[in-house]
Structure formats: structure tokens, C-alpha cells
Amino acid sequence: MRAISAFFLLLLFFPSAATAVEPSFPVQQVQDGRVLVSTNLGPLPEKIRKEIQSGLPKEVEYQIDLMREWDRWMDEYMDGQTVVRTVKYDVLKKEYRMSSLEGRYLYEKTGADLNEAVRWLTVISDIPVARVETLLPGPYYVTVTMTFRRMKMTGPFSVLMFFMSESEYSVAQTGAPFTLPP
């Protein structure tokens, strides 16, 4: 009986490798005096797609950090942006509610296509991270940390499951270094 209990506890703390998603490396570009970042998660596993279709809300948090590279010192955080994408399927209306919280702006839309909802959840494009005039010339790179959040527990379950991690998994990718000219 103890072995079975331990097995289920391990499943709670260590999500299976089958649910892991391989993200692409972030791509940055300087346009209109801003550093813009784009990235995407790889294709979602079938398990997550089925969970979305069954009505479970899914949330991905993208933490985008612009770092200045130093030769003989720790790299310096310069600026960043957080993007939280959420998808929830309404089984009665047969539509997907999608929201994106980008800084202090909230974007919402609805759609009937699962592929559109998955694309909304997994692809971010041209997110402004910093203004070039506020940065010193030199070498920089972008790091994107993507965290897939678990469904939030409410009521007595939240008290009983306090030890359970808020995220299903988290992965970070670092983009190619680039130089800002003077």
C-alpha cells in the first residue's frame, strides 16, 4: 500500500516526460526603436489538447528577459515583459475563450477552432521588451521562460494540496546574442 501511495505522490511532483513541450529559441529584432521578441512552444502533446477540449483551462506564462552580456561579471538584467496566455473551452457554447495579459494590457477573443486556440496559447510574436534609446550599446541576449500552469485549486482542496506545485512544467530558452550599436 505504501508503494502505491509513494507512486502517486511522485506523479504529483514530477510530471511525465510525455507532457513536455520543446520550445523554439526566441528570436529578437530591433524595429521602430524597440526590441521585439517572438517565440513559440512546440506542438502540444495530444494529452494537453484533449484536456483543452474537455473544458480544462490552460495557462502559459512567458517571462521574457533582456540581458546585457558582460565578459568578467555576471550578466545584467536590463528589461523584461511578462505575457500570460489562457485558453478555456466552453462546452455549452462550443467555443474557445482566449485571453492574453501583456504587461498591463488584456486582449480577449473567442473562436471555434481548436488549432486557433492552441496557436494562441503557444505562439507569441513581436512582444516589445525594451526601447533602444534606454539601452547602452553592447552585447545583449534574450531569455524566455515558459511555465505551463496547473488548474488552480479552490475550497478545501487548496488547503489539502498546499504542497503541490503551481506549474506543470517550466522550461527556459536563450536566444542568439546580438549587439546594439551606439
Side-chain angles (χ1 to χ4, degrees):
M1 187 65 177
R2 280 187 174 181
I4 293 172
S5 299
F7 175 73
F8 284 114
L9 278 175
L10 283 174
L11 284 178
L12 285 175
F13 287 115
F14 302 106
S16 69
T19 62
V21 177
E22 281 300 317
S24 68
F25 290 97
V27 176
Q28 69 280 332
Q29 63 178 343
V30 178
Q31 184 178 348
D32 298 329
R34 299 180 301 170
V35 177
L36 305 175
V37 176
S38 300
T39 190
N40 63 6
L41 290 168
L44 288 180
E46 193 60 34
K47 176 186 178 233
I48 293 176
R49 294 173 73 94
K50 286 180 181 177
E51 288 175 354
I52 292 171
Q53 279 187 303
S54 68
L56 286 176
K58 288 294 176 181
E59 180 179 289
V60 178
E61 178 181 300
Y62 297 89
Q63 178 60 47
I64 306 166
D65 297 325
L66 177 66
M67 305 293 287
R68 177 158 182 178
E69 192 173 357
W70 291 99
D71 287 335
R72 297 187 181 125
W73 196 250
M74 295 180 356
D75 293 346
E76 179 182 8
Y77 171 83
M78 298 304 291
D79 210 341
Q81 175 82 295
T82 301
V83 176
V84 179
R85 293 277 173 100
T86 307
V87 170
K88 174 139 178 33
Y89 183 61
D90 188 336
V91 294
L92 296 176
K93 294 181 180 178
K94 304 244 186 271
E95 67 182 13
Y96 297 91
R97 290 184 307 193
M98 299 167 268
S99 67
S100 179
L101 182 61
E102 300 175 13
R104 58 184 177 177
Y105 299 104
L106 177 66
Y107 303 99
E108 296 180 311
K109 69 179 193 174
T110 59
D113 184 28
L114 173 64
N115 291 329
E116 178 187 1
V118 167
R119 195 170 31 260
W120 175 265
L121 192 64
T122 60
V123 176
I124 58 171
S125 299
D126 297 335
I127 302 296
V129 177
R131 299 212 51 85
V132 173
E133 69 251 9
T134 64
L135 302 172
L136 297 171
Y140 291 88
Y141 63 92
V142 174
T143 299
V144 179
T145 304
M146 294 156 268
T147 306
F148 234 94
R149 300 271 180 214
R150 289 190 189 278
M151 189 173 75
K152 291 182 175 44
M153 299 282 184
T154 58
F157 291 113
S158 63
V159 175
L160 294 173
M161 302 299 270
F162 69 91
F163 57 87
M164 192 168 145
S165 172
E166 283 187 15
S167 64
E168 285 186 41
Y169 58 90
S170 181
V171 64
Q173 288 286 11
T174 301
F178 65 99
T179 303
L180 289 178

